[in-house]
Amino acid sequence: MKPRLPSICSSGRDKWVDLEGTFSISNMPDRVVLYLEGPAPGKDLLIRSVTVRSSTTSDFQYTKENTEASSGFPPALNIIKNHDFSDGLYSWNANSCDSFVVSSNDCNLESYAVVNNRSETWQGLEQDITDRVSPGCSYKVSASVSVSGPILGSAQVLATLRLEHQSSATEYQGIGKIYASKDIWKTLEGTFLLSGRPDRVVFFLEGPSPGIDLLIKSVTIHCESDNQFERSREFCPAPEYDHIFLNSSFSDGLNHWSGRGCNLMLHESLANGKILPHSGTCFASASERTHKWSGIEQDITERVQRKLIYEASSVVRLSHSHQTVQATLYVQYLDQREEYIGISSVQAQHDDWVQLKGKFLLNGSPARAVVYIEGPPPGIDVFVDHFVVKPAEKDTPSRRPYTESHAFGMNIVSNSHLSDGTIDGWFPLGNCHLKVGEGSPRILPPLARDSLTSTHGYLSGKYVLATNRSGTWMGPAQMITDRVELFLTYQVSAWVKIGSGGLTSSQDVNIALSVDGKWVNGGKVEVDDGDWHEVVGSFRIEKQAKEIMLHVQGPSPGVDLMVSGLQIFAVDHKLRLNYLRGQADVVRKRNVCLKFSGLDPSELSGATVKIRQTRNSFPLGSCISRSNIDNKDFVDFFLNNFNWAVFGNELKWYWTEPEQGNFNYRDADEMLEFCERYNIETRGHCIFWEVESAIQPWVQQLSGSELEAAVENRVTDLLTRYNGKFRHYDVNNEMLHGSFYRDRLGSDARAKMFKAAHELDPSATLFLNEYHIEDGFDSRSSPEKYIKLVHKLQKKGAPVGGIGIQGHITSPVGHIVRSALDKLSTLGLPIWFTELDVSSINEHIRGDDLEVMLWEAFAHPAVEGVMLWGFWELFMSREHAHLVNADGEVNEAGKRFLEMKREWLTFVDGVIEDEGGLEFRGYHGSYTVEVVTSESKYVTNFVVDKGNSPIDVIINL
């Protein structure tokens, strides 16, 4: 029997109308068919979309993909409303950007959504699907996407879930990604499974760089369960990870464990019951240890895979003393090469258990892989409660923090000018006394004045005086908890002075913060006279704090401390970048006139020209390690983005000669061969290292004459072996922070090192190399002290050829960095950033910091190159500093790096003028030019050399 269904009378041709109605089914027939009918014979019926919604359950929509299910069960339902934008943007929401739907009256053309005016990669189109998803069900996602706008090549498009919780932080779950090209539709696919029930679930599409439009034709999400009508709504926990360690909690005794140069035993308790298991019923002890590397170990060769991140965690304790305990991975490869990878370390103690936790990654396929615990000197027993190694969970992608624009440039210090003559807002930290004095500078500290773009007036001439100080930490303080915003970079600047009682020796003055009891450096300066000095620095808080206290400290007890005009304000790096782009245009570009020859002028006139820069000549490199070059993904990223390399450890003396007469040049040889094969220039880091803790024990134990001979042998062996191979050498690393060789070999030892290196390899440029030069954090390594060190070396005849700034920086401020570069440039020597890295738990903020540093370097005429201190996760010296995740995915900081590199390239389209030429202004470097005439197309290459004056380039076609 045919049921009665609704009908409608169409009002004419070329006009769409809605047909609505309801129906119910009292039992389940063998087959249910919905169809549309009605016009008289000979009249065409046009149908744009059909939607069937249940009045008692969630809103579902059938799609073509749904009806192709062949399982014998009812077809899977698409939980996305308005999946093809046939109803405009109904049920969709643009996330902090604009969107519209492109429709067509042509029934053969499909509608699609355009997401535009995007200023962040995370901006896109989203839909709330909270009521249409259930825990324990696996969902399949398919989206037809494209991109449009100023794009070269392809752009990444991501499908993501936002999981909102009332009682905890919002989570983001990646679903899938694809690289889409302009004007080409591609299908993005992925799956997701909810392990719990969030308060809100939002599906969204995101990913392309700012300024690129995201196009979406359709989206489907359906549950992959065999029978979605009968599926369980109960929570289905995700399966546990496979543990790589066997018998990790010693429930099976010491089976699968062994002692590495020690004896192993199990204990239920020790020390008359004072030492009990942290968890479980027993713990293991590594006793009778013969070396620092002795400890408990397990072979994981058959259970570990390359290019997969593993997490190792343990709880450890010592029999006595407080010492560093480290988890280490030993790897031996098929070619017998060995590698030791530090996983994590912790300061362990005898009176309580502490957690040891870290991650590791294997680049190559090992013949043998062993994880062990080491560290304390022989004679100290190491107790291990449990030791687990398992695949690590993937970190949730970062979201850009929201900040109020009006926060920039506002001083958050209360009563910093002391205009009313009181110390309201300030309190004494410790039992010192505070009062207001007069006679301080009436202008803002110079670097604060440079950074603040608006007029902030003059100071009052008053200062806070701290007297009766009985500890170095005592001084003026105030609480600023409610005035600090997370993830903002704050510049610190103040005038400071010490009383006459401290002028007998140099005194440090430090502006610091106590963040929930943890000290945070805000800037430090050394004062050795009775004048006012500017202290500068910066800080950033990245975790919510209960209490933030600002305080000024440093001079010796009994020395009076004076502070005036303390400024702490958030800096806007985007404002600074606009200035730097203009500076880079002056420093790194020149006017170019292409003059074309070889063709008849009549053919050339009016020909179209495409100029594409393929490489900027500004040197940009990275630190690499021997194991990195076994990772193809690492190698691909490195070769595509860098033209210089520096070896992380493999050239250092403690690596090439760990024991006297036992040489290891194999790693450096193989890395150098790799660089030569791909035409990568190299820096030699380092011949010597002045800091005692970085010097191998056998060197430290040599007598004066023995040490002098060993130093001579070291420089001779290294530079003879690699003569002409390394363009630069860091001769004696960190001379402002160490004095091992100077103390033992005399004040001329450093200059002798430079002279010997130059005699052995006169083609190499010889560098100094130091840290904290550019940030104001360390009074030992100010630009002024660095300049004095260079002058001392030069007076002793050292052939100093370059200035190395390591650049391990936190919360960089452009004006402070620029000030240091300006001061160092007075030496007239090339400046390189030799070990640049930045660190933030938020990838977007990490990208901001890297952007600040690279543009400051690129825009300064004295800087001739930048080396990053790595870019790959787990192969960085600092946490949260990587640009590429261990699985090869470029994170948000890495995307910013790639965007900057593209911005350092010139692209020009034009037409040849009657005179047979084309003028443009472009960055120094290599170019390809394509000329299309009425008769043919010509492609050739040319180079824009360094320089500022206009240049003519002849293009012979």
Side-chain angles (χ1 to χ4, degrees), residues 219-465:
V219 181
T220 64
I221 301 179
H222 65 266
C223 182
E224 291 188 300
S225 300
D226 286 341
N227 189 344
Q228 61 183 16
F229 294 107
E230 299 177 2
R231 67 178 182 263
S232 170
R233 294 256 178 197
E234 297 300 316
F235 164 66
C236 298
E240 291 188 4
Y241 287 115
D242 293 330
H243 284 207
I244 306 304
F245 266 0
L246 303 177
N247 187 27
S248 59
S249 58
F250 310 109
S251 58
D252 191 20
L254 291 171
N255 192 26
H256 301 293
W257 295 97
S258 58
R260 188 182 185 89
C262 62
N263 291 329
L264 298 186
M265 292 185 65
L266 281 184
H267 309 273
E268 294 181 357
S269 68
L270 279 175
N272 296 320
K274 293 181 180 178
I275 301 178
L276 297 173
H278 180 268
S279 60
T281 60
C282 62
F283 59 90
S285 68
S287 59
E288 300 180 30
R289 299 172 57 252
T290 56
H291 298 84
K292 293 182 69 173
W293 48 260
S294 300
I296 189 171
E297 69 176 9
Q298 187 169 138
D299 191 312
I300 59 173
T301 307
E302 302 299 327
R303 301 185 297 279
V304 70
Q305 301 177 39
R306 64 187 295 264
K307 295 173 61 176
L308 182 64
I309 304 177
Y310 292 94
E311 181 178 87
S313 62
S314 180
V315 176
V316 298
R317 189 169 179 171
L318 302 179
S319 59
H320 58 279
S321 185
H322 290 66
Q323 299 286 338
T324 299
V325 173
Q326 177 173 311
T328 303
L329 171 66
Y330 164 76
V331 182
Q332 185 181 54
Y333 295 97
L334 295 174
D335 60 0
Q336 300 304 305
R337 184 171 57 85
E338 296 179 320
E339 183 179 15
Y340 293 86
I341 300 173
I343 299 173
S344 63
S345 62
V346 70
Q347 192 69 19
Q349 50 198 15
H350 68 278
D351 52 0
D352 201 2
W353 295 95
V354 294
Q355 186 177 43
L356 177 66
K357 189 174 184 179
K359 297 178 180 180
F360 67 87
L361 170 78
L362 280 174
N363 281 317
S365 298
R368 186 164 183 251
V370 177
V371 176
Y372 63 98
I373 289 180
E374 61 173 333
I380 299 178
D381 296 347
V382 180
F383 305 141
V384 180
D385 182 83
H386 64 268
F387 200 175
V388 176
V389 174
K390 62 183 181 180
E393 296 183 14
K394 189 171 183 179
D395 293 334
T396 302
S398 299
R399 314 301 299 177
R400 172 169 285 283
Y402 173 76
T403 55
E404 295 282 355
S405 60
H406 63 76
F408 298 119
M410 296 180 61
N411 189 12
I412 65 172
V413 180
S414 296
N415 193 23
S416 66
H417 289 206
L418 307 167
S419 300
D420 61 359
T422 69
I423 59 170
D424 291 346
W426 295 94
F427 62 86
L429 184 61
N431 58 10
C432 62
H433 299 158
L434 301 185
K435 64 180 180 179
V436 176
E438 293 197 27
S440 59
R442 292 181 175 270
I443 59 172
L444 286 172
L447 280 173
R449 191 167 63 247
D450 291 345
S451 297
L452 296 170
T453 55
S454 57
T455 302
H456 283 254
Y458 294 96
L459 301 180
S460 65
K462 298 181 174 64
Y463 59 88
V464 177
L465 172 63

Side-chain angles (χ1 to χ4, degrees), residues 13 38-46:
R13 297 174 60 189
K43 291 186 177 182
D44 295 338
L45 173 60
L46 308 183

